[in-house]
């Protein structure tokens, strides 16, 4: 019986694997045409100042409106785009869209855009960003680029040169999903990092789980002593908001504040906040 169970389990995984490969093949063809068919869309998740609760800006998050499969998550198609060599084109498209949208926001708002490690290794990246800033008239100072620790791993020299150039142009650099990857504290002083984003897995288990709470506390203190701003992402509950804020995170992001929304909805949120302040 155990053997039978093992065999059926094996067949189950084989079927799942075949299904996955088939889905990838189908998506591969479609993804190549997604930009030209205007199927990509950028949603925005607002971020707030931990103390005042005022909006500080928003993170751009790409979505793919697939004609048959509906809206697909970047967790599904970004890795595929990386493999197919499409991520540079998609990344440039997202940057251009985000800068054009953010150019219409109130002047103190920043937009954060995620960069794939593949983009960091692309020697044309800086030129492409400069061109986008010029074409949209968006100020470099209000653009934040989110990278992950993976991007810094193994290609030190190239990544460092690129990040320094980006910084020299006035943009800010954030280290996303901090604490999950190959976290090395040496990154924080070797690379020009303006902000750390504490991974939402820690935030999700806080404040009740002592280990996660300690990690948030430690990262917040580390940021404070290194002069690096700290954002807590994935804030879903009031007690998580209070904990991260009390521990010294300066910026908060998560479903409690808002889910990622289409640009028109974000613009409405910003406009409403403005009249409430006035
Ligand atoms: P990320 O950069 O860490 O973005 C945060 C993700 O967490 C987003 O998922 C967001 O919707 C989700 N999130 C935010 N607040 C909460 C919360 O309170 N609870 C929960 N459960 N989730 C929350 P999304 O939009 O599916 O994006 C997933 C990842 O895909 C991003 O993680 C980022 O790594 C990548 N990604 C998204 N857009 C782009 C892009 O334009 N370029 C690249 N290279 N990667 C992107
Ligand atoms: Mg991010
Ligand atoms: Mg993140
Ligand atoms: Mg992530």
């Amino acid at each position: 019986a155990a053997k039978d169970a093992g065999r059926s389990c094996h067949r189950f995984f084989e079927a799942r694997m075949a299904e996955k490969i088939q889905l990838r093949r189908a998506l591969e063809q479609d993804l190549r045409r997604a930009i030209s068919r205007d199927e990509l869309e950028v949603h925005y998740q607002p971020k707030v100042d931990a103390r005042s609760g005022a909006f500080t800006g928003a993170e751009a998050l790409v979505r793919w409106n697939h004609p048959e499969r509906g809206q697909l998550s970047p967790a599904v198609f970004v890795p595929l785009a990386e493999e197919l060599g499409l991520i540079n084109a998609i990344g440039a498209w997202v940057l251009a869209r985000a800068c054009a949208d953010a150019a219409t926001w109130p002047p103190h708002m920043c937009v954060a855009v995620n960069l794939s490690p593949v983009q960091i290794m692309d020697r044309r990246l800086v030129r492409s960003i400069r061109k986008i800033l010029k074409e949209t008239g968006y100020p470099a100072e209000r653009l934040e680029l989110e990278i992950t620790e993976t991007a810094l791993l193994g290609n030190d020299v190239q990544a460092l040169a690129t990040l320094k150039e980006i910084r020299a142009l006035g943009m800010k650099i954030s280290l996303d999903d901090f604490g999950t990857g190959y976290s090395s504290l040496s990154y924080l002083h070797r690379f020009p990092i303006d902000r750390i984003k504490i991974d939402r897995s820690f935030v999700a288990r806080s404040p009740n789980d002592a280990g996660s709470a300690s990690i948030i506390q430690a990262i917040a203190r580390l940021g404070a002593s290194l002069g690096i701003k700290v954002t807590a992402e994935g804030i879903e509950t009031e007690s998580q908001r209070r904990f991260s804020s009390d521990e010294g995170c300066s910026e908060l992001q998560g479903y409690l504040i808002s889910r990622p929304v289409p640009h028109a909805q974000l613009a409405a949120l910003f406009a409403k906040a403005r009249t409430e302040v006035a």
Side-chain angles (χ1 to χ4, degrees), residues 89-116:
I90 290 175
W93 183 88
V94 171
L95 264 164
R97 184 71 262 153
C99 289
D101 286 341
T104 68
W105 300 353
H108 61 281
M109 303 287 189
C110 290
V111 69
V113 178
N114 294 283
L115 289 188
S116 151

Side-chain angles (χ1 to χ4, degrees), residues 59 61 114 146 176-177 197 233:
E59 177 176 3
L61 296 158
N114 294 283
E146 298 194 3
D176 204 354
D177 304 342
K197 297 185 78 175
E233 60 178 355

Side-chain angles (χ1 to χ4, degrees), residues 203-217:
V203 175
R205 292 190 293 260
S206 75
N208 298 337
D209 175 64
S212 300
S214 302
I215 287 169
I216 293 172
Q217 230 163 28

